Amino acid sequence: MAELLAVADEYREDLPDLDRRRDRAARALGLDPAGLPSEAAALAQLMELSGGPVAVACLVVGYEGEPLDPLFDPSPTRS
């Protein structure tokens, strides 16, 4: 999880108005930005889903027709 938070921080350095953009996108979709999950909650859910059946169903296939390496370690060992 610490790695994901570090990547998110780096991303924010490149897009300092990310929160404003997120809120604008939420409003365009009819969502209340205050009701969106926190960044930590969203990343935790991403980590949870990365090892389950959703991850298997969402393999990214490259140009050659072979699946690309998973973004996360698919092993079920989590602490």
Side-chain angles (χ1 to χ4, degrees):
M1 179 69 143
E3 283 183 52
L4 284 178
L5 290 172
V7 170
D9 287 342
E10 288 178 22
Y11 193 79
R12 284 182 181 284
E13 287 177 15
D14 292 336
L15 283 172
D17 64 339
L18 180 64
D19 291 336
R20 184 184 60 76
R21 291 177 183 208
R22 177 204 58 215
D23 292 350
R24 192 172 90 203
R27 282 189 212 89
L29 293 170
L31 302 172
D32 178 7
L36 296 175
S38 69
E39 184 175 283
L43 291 175
Q45 185 174 13
L46 179 63
M47 290 295 295
E48 181 67 28
L49 292 173
S50 70
V54 172
V56 174
C58 296
L59 286 177
V60 177
V61 177
Y63 293 114
E64 308 281 321
E66 295 293 322
L68 300 176
D69 291 337
L71 182 60
F72 302 101
D73 180 8
S75 62
T77 56
R78 286 192 181 79
S79 48

